[in-house]
Amino acid sequence: MQHSQLAPLPNDVPFRIVSKTIGQGAYACIKKACPLDSNNPVFAVKYIHKEYAAKHGKISTRQLSLEVSVHKHVSGHNNIITFYQTGEDPIWRWIAMELAEGGDLFDKIEADEGVGEDIAHVYFSQLISAVGFMHSKGVGHRDIKPENMLLTADGNLKIADFGLAALFEYKGSRKLSSTFCGSPPYIAPEVITCSTRGQNKGPGYHPDLVDIWSCGIVLFVLLAGNTPWDSPTDDSYEFHEYLATNSRTTDELWQKLPAATLSLLRGMLTVDPKSRFSLEDVRRHPWYTRSNRFLSSDGKLRDPINLATSMFESLHIDFSQDPLSQKRKGASRSLDTMDMDTDMDGADGTGFSSTQPEMPAGAMVMDWDAPDMTSGAFSSTQPSGKLSNTQDAVIINHLEDEPSMSQFSQQPSVPVSRTQNAQKFQDIIPSRSMTRFYSAWELKLLVPLICEALHRLGVPVPSVPAVTAGDTSAMIRVVTKDGRLCQIQGKVLIECVSEGIFEVEFVKVKGDPLEWRRFFKKVTILCKDAVFKPEE
């Protein structure tokens, strides 16, 4: 689906667009907007291409209407994205909602490392508060995962995306769900065993108990920086061991968890939904009720500057690591064996339903704001990969306040210029993604290096972009699967941002934010000779 084939976005709307795309899928994009007669407040508008949603995502007009009604029903909680308004024309459906200015929560968490107990406790508490509110309204989210956990400018959590939400209780009457949906590492076992698949009618499952399982997985990921298993099936070595040992697994990720959280996690991750912790069980657990220096009595961040600083300084790329080694035992697949996704039954290529399923792999990723740059042309402004002392000084001056540079330092830290003036969370951790690096290499060397890194990781590159004098940007598309067999899509954008300096940005379109960061780190380490580092 080419950009030129898209119908223009509707003009007859009560707002005006004030940004390029800030989020996207195969048939949907999100842009910033504001009222027609004002520059404030700024909010987000999700545009859904109805034809492509129906054709490639199998999402009907009724389902889109249900998403709107459910989102409106649960709107009004501090930790849930507020619904504002909706409308449509023959081609587009639009949904105006609160803008989460802080971006993805898990974009700010280091893969395979996680965060400290206090920070994990803050975001887990806010997640439970939001889920509890939804359940009190009779709504189960059914798709709780890092992709749907966003941040405000002050660093507070916001739950988003109600495309898979279901009403499980109405006027005291409860009903089961049977839709097979969610992301494999985060879904509860009963979604697989009790849902309807193909011609097989499942007995159904309780959406609220499914949410509790997913919240437990999220807590695990906050603390460990990784999921405990690829999926809750016998095909996963880690899950099989979890069952065989009565949740007393010897897996290294469980061994590193704080002891106080183990009983909470085991209660939430009880396979039998009848014995699983309820929300009240979670709220009464000693780890949940513990005091927290970052959390105020109203459930909001008390000290966002220090919390953001701690999170920011944990983001680090170790260039001594081997990105081609498989870190975890029993993993079914790692990035060095990723392949092109060619058979997509559902959004993840695994038969799972999603709220923003992508186009088949052959169609690749659509650009919403710019002409196609697949052929890839670059401007070569430097004669070689070496810089003169004067050029080196210019680059250092240009990048000294760039937040993403810190992750390449031996000891990552927040620049003094930011800490002195910081007033809120976003002043320390910017909303823009940290998955980027800068290079002073000549482009005819840089481009093949990146493509070779992708090739070594098993990520297919149809052709190496050509370097053509006079051009200043290019794009490499990424359609592959992560180490858990879930689909990730995105693009590597290479752009000249100053004479002799190129920014290499990894833009995620679809997939788990932690898996995308893990992918970014592996490529960056393989390209380490070209990465500009603060110590150089």
Side-chain angles (χ1 to χ4, degrees):
M1 184 161 117
Q2 297 297 324
H3 180 79
S4 59
Q5 295 174 323
L6 282 175
L9 297 176
N11 292 319
D12 186 20
V13 292
F15 51 81
R16 57 188 176 87
I17 300 299
V18 295
S19 77
K20 291 187 176 182
T21 296
I22 59 173
Q24 68 178 64
Y27 58 81
C29 68
I30 300 176
K31 296 175 181 287
K32 292 181 184 179
C34 68
L36 291 173
D37 57 352
S38 172
N39 290 326
N40 285 297
V42 175
F43 50 89
V45 179
K46 178 180 178 179
Y47 288 98
I48 303 167
H49 195 289
K50 294 191 290 186
E51 177 187 352
Y52 279 88
K55 182 177 180 181
H56 298 288
K58 299 181 176 61
I59 294 179
S60 66
T61 301
R62 179 182 176 277
Q63 287 172 295
L64 292 177
S65 297
L66 182 62
E67 174 182 354
V68 167
S69 62
V70 169
H71 191 177
K72 186 176 182 180
H73 183 57
V74 300
S75 186
H77 187 276
N78 286 334
N79 301 119
I80 295 175
I81 290 290
T82 302
F83 171 88
Y84 292 147
Q85 197 173 353
T86 188
E88 62 183 321
D89 67 8
I91 298 174
W92 297 95
R93 177 87 186 222
W94 58 265
I95 305 172
M97 66 191 80
E98 178 185 5
L99 175 66
E101 296 179 274
D104 288 352
L105 165 62
F106 280 82
D107 179 56
K108 285 79 176 169
I109 294 175
E110 188 57 87
D112 302 313
E113 297 295 334
V115 295
E117 275 192 88
D118 282 345
I119 297 176
H121 182 260
V122 165
Y123 290 118
F124 179 73
S125 298
Q126 293 186 340
L127 172 63
I128 292 298
S129 180
V131 170
F133 180 79
M134 285 186 278
H135 289 182
S136 73
K137 297 281 191 177
V139 172
H141 190 281
R142 299 198 303 177
D143 198 24
I144 292 173
K145 58 183 179 180
E147 282 179 82
N148 296 330
M149 300 175 66
L150 308 177
L151 294 178
T152 66
D154 292 324
N156 288 293
L157 178 71
K158 292 282 184 177
I159 298 299
D161 204 336
F162 295 88
L164 290 179
L167 190 68
F168 67 85
E169 185 173 13
Y170 183 69
K171 294 183 177 181
S173 177
R174 289 176 63 93
K175 68 175 183 177
L176 299 176
S177 289
S178 59
T179 303
F180 183 64
C181 60
S183 180
Y186 296 89
I187 61 171
E190 65 265 26
V191 175
I192 299 174
T193 58
C194 299
S195 61
T196 300
R197 299 191 66 181
Q199 301 299 317
N200 300 320
K201 181 67 175 179
Y205 56 85
H206 293 281
D208 51 340
L209 298 181
V210 163
D211 283 350
I212 291 171
W213 176 283
S214 299
C215 287
I217 299 292
V218 167
L219 174 57
F220 187 101
V221 176
L222 282 167
L223 292 165
N226 206 335
T227 56
W229 39 71
D230 298 337
S231 63
T233 65
D234 283 338
D235 292 336
S236 167
Y237 172 88
E238 290 86 3
F239 186 70
H240 178 79
E241 185 186 36
Y242 180 78
L243 294 180
T245 60
N246 192 27
S247 74
R248 298 313 193 262
T249 174
T250 59
D251 186 282
E252 60 182 345
L253 291 184
W254 286 86
Q255 298 299 314
K256 65 181 283 189
L257 295 177
T261 65
L262 291 177
S263 64
L264 174 58
L265 284 168
R266 287 166 181 152
M268 299 180 74
L269 300 179
T270 298
V271 174
D272 181 1
K274 295 179 181 178
S275 302
R276 188 174 303 156
F277 271 12
S278 67
L279 272 181
E280 285 307 309
D281 292 329
V282 173
R283 292 188 180 114
R284 286 195 297 262
H285 192 276
W287 190 82
Y288 184 83
T289 59
R290 70 196 288 270
S291 60
N292 191 326
R293 61 193 173 102
F294 291 129
L295 196 62
S296 64
S297 58
D298 63 358
K300 296 182 180 179
L301 290 187
R302 173 183 288 146
D303 190 358
I305 303 302
N306 282 332
L307 182 143
T309 300
S310 177
M311 290 178 65
F312 183 87
E313 292 179 346
S314 70
L315 295 172
H316 176 59
I317 294 179
D318 184 355
F319 287 102
S320 68
Q321 294 293 315
D322 179 6
L324 300 179
S325 65
Q326 186 166 308
K327 184 172 183 178
R328 291 189 62 190
K329 67 176 183 178
S332 57
R333 184 177 298 196
S334 59
L335 275 169
D336 56 326
T337 57
M338 294 193 300
D339 60 4
M340 179 72 81
D341 181 22
T342 56
D343 183 15
M344 294 178 59
D345 299 321
D348 299 305
T350 57
F352 287 81
S353 175
S354 174
T355 53
Q356 291 190 22
E358 299 301 324
M359 296 284 288
M364 295 301 225
V365 182
M366 177 184 13
D367 295 313
W368 294 88
D369 301 306
D372 191 3
M373 298 186 296
T374 310
S375 59
F378 303 80
S379 170
S380 180
T381 57
Q382 294 297 329
S384 70
K386 297 290 185 178
L387 293 174
S388 67
N389 290 337
T390 300
Q391 291 168 324
D392 192 54
V394 170
I395 290 180
I396 293 174
N397 183 64
H398 181 84
L399 297 177
E400 63 179 0
D401 290 328
E402 165 56 41
S404 62
M405 287 296 292
S406 172
Q407 63 191 318
F408 306 116
S409 301
Q410 292 183 357
Q411 295 183 326
S413 62
V414 180
V416 175
S417 59
R418 291 221 311 283
T419 57
Q420 290 176 336
N421 300 315
Q423 299 293 321
K424 55 186 178 180
F425 182 94
Q426 196 172 353
D427 295 332
I428 300 296
I429 301 182
S431 59
R432 71 194 300 243
S433 174
M434 297 281 283
T435 53
R436 67 187 70 229
F437 68 80
Y438 294 84
S439 179
W441 270 39
E442 187 176 356
L443 284 175
K444 67 181 181 181
L445 301 175
L446 178 61
V447 175
L449 182 69
I450 296 171
C451 291
E452 173 62 20
L454 295 173
H455 174 74
R456 293 177 66 187
L457 291 172
V459 179
V461 179
S463 62
V464 177
V467 176
T468 304
D471 292 326
T472 59
S473 62
M475 174 170 61
I476 302 170
R477 300 184 188 275
V478 175
V479 181
T480 187
K481 290 182 180 178
D482 61 31
R484 307 162 312 158
L485 297 181
C486 294
Q487 188 186 61
I488 53 174
Q489 288 194 20
K491 49 197 174 185
V492 181
L493 299 178
I494 309 170
E495 183 177 4
C496 180
V497 294
S498 182
E499 185 174 356
I501 308 174
F502 285 84
E503 179 186 63
V504 182
E505 180 183 8
F506 291 64
V507 180
K508 179 179 74 69
V509 171
K510 180 69 178 179
D512 187 295
L514 271 182
E515 289 292 330
W516 184 253
R517 178 160 179 84
R518 187 175 288 112
F519 165 68
F520 159 74
K521 288 173 65 177
K522 287 176 177 285
V523 176
T524 300
I525 293 172
L526 289 175
C527 296
K528 61 184 178 181
D529 291 340
V531 176
F532 188 83
K533 309 173 187 68
E535 289 81 8
E536 292 182 344

